[in-house]
Amino acid sequence: NAGVMQNPRHLVRRRGQEARLRCSPMKGHSHVYWYRQLPEEGLKFMVYLQKENIIDESGMPKERFSAEFPKEGPSILRIQQVVRGDSAAYFCASSPDGSYGYTFGSGTRLTVV
Amino acid sequence: TQLLEQSPQFLSIQEGENLTVYCNSSSVFSSLQWYRQEPGEGPVLLVTVVTGGEVKKLKRLTFQFGDARKDSSLHITAAQPGDTGLYLCAGAMTTDSWGKFQFGAGTQVVVTP
Protein backbone atom coordinates (compact mmCIF):
# COMPACT_ATOMS: atom_id res chain seq x y z
CA ASN A 1 0.00 0.00 0.00
CA ALA A 2 1.90 2.99 -1.27
CA GLY A 3 2.02 6.09 0.88
CA VAL A 4 1.29 9.63 -0.22
CA MET A 5 3.18 10.23 -3.45
CA GLN A 6 4.39 13.68 -4.38
CA ASN A 7 6.21 14.68 -7.51
CA PRO A 8 8.49 16.08 -8.45
CA ARG A 9 10.70 15.91 -5.35
CA HIS A 10 12.65 18.94 -6.50
CA LEU A 11 11.50 21.66 -8.86
CA VAL A 12 13.47 24.65 -10.10
CA ARG A 13 11.65 27.48 -11.80
CA ARG A 14 12.71 30.89 -13.05
CA ARG A 15 10.82 33.91 -11.82
CA GLY A 16 7.60 34.33 -13.78
CA GLN A 17 7.21 30.65 -14.72
CA GLU A 18 4.50 28.32 -13.51
CA ALA A 19 5.00 25.53 -10.98
CA ARG A 20 2.72 22.47 -10.85
CA LEU A 21 3.02 20.19 -7.85
CA ARG A 22 1.29 16.80 -7.82
CA CYS A 23 0.01 14.70 -4.97
CA SER A 24 -1.54 11.23 -5.06
CA PRO A 25 -3.14 10.39 -1.68
CA MET A 26 -2.98 7.03 -0.01
CA LYS A 27 -5.40 4.47 -1.37
CA GLY A 28 -8.77 4.95 0.27
CA HIS A 29 -8.01 8.50 1.44
CA SER A 30 -10.36 11.12 0.06
CA HIS A 31 -9.15 14.12 2.10
CA VAL A 32 -6.09 16.01 0.84
CA TYR A 33 -4.27 18.89 2.51
CA TRP A 34 -1.45 21.11 1.27
CA TYR A 35 1.03 22.75 3.62
CA ARG A 36 4.06 24.96 3.03
CA GLN A 37 7.19 24.83 5.15
CA LEU A 38 9.75 27.61 5.25
CA PRO A 39 13.13 27.30 7.02
CA GLU A 40 12.86 27.92 10.77
CA GLU A 41 9.07 27.92 10.54
CA GLY A 42 6.45 25.31 11.09
CA LEU A 43 4.13 23.94 8.48
CA LYS A 44 1.56 26.48 7.35
CA PHE A 45 -1.83 25.28 6.18
CA MET A 46 -2.74 26.23 2.63
CA VAL A 47 -5.79 24.31 1.45
CA TYR A 48 -8.04 21.35 2.23
CA LEU A 49 -9.72 19.46 -0.60
CA GLN A 50 -11.97 16.51 -1.14
CA LYS A 51 -12.69 15.03 -4.52
CA GLU A 52 -13.85 17.86 -6.82
CA ASN A 53 -14.38 20.20 -3.86
CA ILE A 54 -12.34 22.84 -2.07
CA ILE A 55 -13.34 22.64 1.58
CA ASP A 56 -11.06 25.28 3.11
CA GLU A 57 -8.67 27.54 1.22
CA SER A 58 -8.13 30.04 4.01
CA GLY A 59 -4.34 29.60 3.86
CA MET A 60 -3.96 30.13 0.14
CA PRO A 61 -2.55 33.44 -1.09
CA LYS A 62 -5.28 35.31 -2.93
CA GLU A 63 -3.34 35.57 -6.15
CA ARG A 64 -1.27 33.18 -8.27
CA PHE A 65 -2.06 30.06 -6.19
CA SER A 66 -4.74 27.50 -6.99
CA ALA A 67 -5.46 23.89 -6.09
CA GLU A 68 -7.66 21.14 -7.40
CA PHE A 69 -8.46 17.52 -6.64
CA PRO A 70 -10.28 16.14 -9.66
CA LYS A 71 -12.49 13.08 -9.75
CA GLU A 72 -9.70 11.18 -11.46
CA GLY A 73 -6.00 11.75 -10.95
CA PRO A 74 -3.81 13.48 -8.41
CA SER A 75 -4.35 16.71 -6.55
CA ILE A 76 -2.52 19.62 -8.17
CA LEU A 77 -1.14 22.74 -6.48
CA ARG A 78 -0.47 25.36 -9.12
CA ILE A 79 1.60 28.49 -8.64
CA GLN A 80 1.56 30.98 -11.48
CA GLN A 81 4.25 33.59 -12.13
CA VAL A 82 6.46 32.32 -9.34
CA VAL A 83 8.56 34.73 -7.28
CA ARG A 84 11.59 34.04 -5.08
CA GLY A 85 9.42 34.16 -1.97
CA ASP A 86 7.58 31.07 -3.20
CA SER A 87 10.71 28.98 -2.63
CA ALA A 88 9.80 26.47 0.07
CA ALA A 89 8.99 22.85 0.73
CA TYR A 90 5.40 22.02 -0.15
CA PHE A 91 3.87 19.02 1.59
CA CYS A 92 0.74 17.16 0.76
CA ALA A 93 -1.05 15.02 3.35
CA SER A 94 -4.03 12.74 3.18
CA SER A 95 -6.43 11.18 5.64
CA PRO A 96 -9.39 8.81 5.34
CA ASP A 97 -11.84 10.96 7.24
CA GLY A 98 -10.29 14.34 7.94
CA SER A 99 -9.41 13.68 11.58
CA TYR A 100 -6.80 12.40 13.99
CA GLY A 101 -3.67 13.08 12.02
CA TYR A 102 -2.31 12.78 8.54
CA THR A 103 -0.03 10.74 6.37
CA PHE A 104 2.38 13.13 4.72
CA GLY A 105 4.20 12.79 1.46
CA SER A 106 7.94 13.49 1.15
CA GLY A 107 7.31 16.94 -0.22
CA THR A 108 8.28 18.99 -3.25
CA ARG A 109 11.11 21.43 -2.77
CA LEU A 110 10.52 24.42 -5.01
CA THR A 111 13.40 26.72 -5.77
CA VAL A 112 12.74 29.91 -7.70
CA VAL A 113 15.83 31.39 -9.35
CA THR B 1 3.35 34.62 15.84
CA GLN B 2 2.85 30.91 16.30
CA LEU B 3 -0.41 29.68 17.77
CA LEU B 4 1.52 26.73 19.20
CA GLU B 5 4.83 27.57 20.86
CA GLN B 6 7.35 24.77 21.09
CA SER B 7 10.28 24.77 23.48
CA PRO B 8 13.14 24.45 23.42
CA GLN B 9 13.88 25.23 19.80
CA PHE B 10 16.98 23.05 19.86
CA LEU B 11 18.11 20.27 22.16
CA SER B 12 21.37 18.33 22.01
CA ILE B 13 21.90 15.41 24.37
CA GLN B 14 24.01 12.30 24.80
CA GLU B 15 22.71 8.83 24.13
CA GLY B 16 21.01 7.42 27.22
CA GLU B 17 19.83 10.74 28.59
CA ASN B 18 16.19 11.74 28.99
CA LEU B 19 14.56 14.75 27.37
CA THR B 20 11.27 16.61 27.39
CA VAL B 21 9.90 18.97 24.77
CA TYR B 22 6.91 21.21 25.26
CA CYS B 23 4.07 22.53 23.16
CA ASN B 24 2.07 25.41 24.63
CA SER B 25 -0.81 27.61 23.57
CA SER B 26 -3.42 29.95 24.99
CA SER B 27 -6.01 28.27 22.77
CA VAL B 28 -7.97 25.09 23.37
CA PHE B 29 -7.56 22.20 20.95
CA SER B 30 -9.94 19.35 20.27
CA SER B 31 -7.01 17.08 19.49
CA LEU B 32 -3.26 17.33 19.32
CA GLN B 33 -0.72 15.35 17.36
CA TRP B 34 3.03 14.87 17.56
CA TYR B 35 5.11 14.24 14.45
CA ARG B 36 8.79 13.59 13.81
CA GLN B 37 10.40 14.90 10.65
CA GLU B 38 13.78 13.91 9.27
CA PRO B 39 15.76 16.01 6.76
CA GLY B 40 14.34 15.86 3.27
CA GLU B 41 11.25 13.95 4.34
CA GLY B 42 7.69 14.66 5.38
CA PRO B 43 6.55 14.53 9.01
CA VAL B 44 5.59 11.13 10.37
CA LEU B 45 2.70 10.91 12.83
CA LEU B 46 3.72 9.59 16.25
CA VAL B 47 0.57 9.98 18.31
CA THR B 48 -2.80 11.70 18.61
CA VAL B 49 -4.23 12.76 21.98
CA VAL B 50 -7.81 13.93 22.36
CA THR B 51 -8.76 13.91 26.06
CA GLY B 52 -7.55 16.47 28.60
CA GLY B 53 -5.06 14.82 30.97
CA GLU B 54 -4.50 11.92 28.59
CA VAL B 55 -1.15 10.14 28.71
CA LYS B 56 0.01 7.86 25.91
CA LYS B 57 3.15 5.78 25.79
CA LEU B 58 4.91 4.59 22.67
CA LYS B 59 7.90 2.48 23.73
CA ARG B 60 10.33 5.05 25.18
CA LEU B 61 8.14 8.04 24.25
CA THR B 62 5.51 9.41 26.64
CA PHE B 63 3.00 12.00 25.46
CA GLN B 64 0.78 14.05 27.73
CA PHE B 65 -2.14 16.34 26.88
CA GLY B 66 -2.80 19.08 29.42
CA ASP B 67 -5.98 19.00 31.48
CA ALA B 68 -7.24 22.17 29.79
CA ARG B 69 -6.25 20.87 26.33
CA LYS B 70 -4.00 23.88 25.74
CA ASP B 71 -0.61 22.24 26.05
CA SER B 72 1.25 19.00 25.60
CA SER B 73 4.61 17.44 26.31
CA LEU B 74 6.74 14.71 24.82
CA HIS B 75 9.19 12.87 27.05
CA ILE B 76 11.83 10.50 25.68
CA THR B 77 13.54 8.09 28.04
CA ALA B 78 17.05 6.82 27.36
CA ALA B 79 17.35 8.65 24.06
CA GLN B 80 19.03 6.94 21.13
CA PRO B 81 20.66 8.41 18.01
CA GLY B 82 17.64 7.18 16.04
CA ASP B 83 15.50 9.65 18.00
CA THR B 84 17.26 12.53 16.24
CA GLY B 85 14.82 14.66 14.28
CA LEU B 86 12.51 17.65 14.25
CA TYR B 87 9.58 17.11 16.60
CA LEU B 88 6.43 18.97 15.63
CA CYS B 89 3.21 19.38 17.54
CA ALA B 90 -0.02 20.14 15.72
CA GLY B 91 -3.42 21.01 17.11
CA ALA B 92 -6.94 20.97 15.75
CA MET B 93 -8.93 24.02 16.80
CA THR B 94 -12.65 23.64 17.25
CA THR B 95 -13.14 26.79 15.16
CA ASP B 96 -11.23 25.43 12.19
CA SER B 97 -12.51 23.13 9.46
CA TRP B 98 -12.45 19.45 10.27
CA GLY B 99 -8.99 18.05 9.67
CA LYS B 100 -7.10 21.35 9.54
CA PHE B 101 -4.17 21.57 11.96
CA GLN B 102 -2.05 24.39 13.36
CA PHE B 103 1.62 23.42 13.60
CA GLY B 104 4.30 24.59 15.96
CA ALA B 105 7.73 25.56 14.62
CA GLY B 106 9.28 22.40 16.04
CA THR B 107 12.02 21.29 18.39
CA GLN B 108 15.20 20.03 16.75
CA VAL B 109 16.55 17.12 18.81
CA VAL B 110 20.07 15.79 18.27
CA VAL B 111 21.16 12.64 20.12
CA THR B 112 24.86 11.91 19.90
CA PRO B 113 26.39 8.48 20.56
Side-chain angles (χ1 to χ4, degrees), chain A residues 9 31 33 35 37 40-45 48 55-56 58-59 91 97-107 109, chain B residues 1-2 9 31 33 35 37 39-45 48 50 86 88 96-106:
Chain A
R9 288 293 302 269
H31 299 249
Y33 307 83
Y35 282 77
Q37 187 174 39
E40 308 299 317
E41 296 185 20
L43 290 142
K44 302 295 185 186
F45 171 81
Y48 164 26
I55 306 303
D56 184 340
S58 58
F91 289 96
D97 58 4
S99 65
Y100 301 128
Y102 305 136
T103 301
F104 276 93
S106 296
R109 280 140 191 89
Chain B
T1 56
Q2 296 279 1
Q9 287 183 295
S31 69
Q33 294 78 40
Y35 294 82
Q37 185 179 20
E41 297 298 328
V44 175
L45 179 66
T48 298
V50 297
L86 179 67
L88 297 163
D96 279 338
S97 58
W98 190 247
K100 174 182 174 182
F101 295 105
Q102 305 284 345
F103 278 80

Side-chain angles (χ1 to χ4, degrees), chain A residues 73-94:
Chain A
S75 175
I76 305 288
L77 179 66
R78 182 182 179 206
I79 311 172
Q80 296 178 288
Q81 298 176 307
V82 295
V83 300
R84 288 208 172 130
D86 297 332
S87 295
Y90 291 84
F91 289 96
C92 167
S94 72

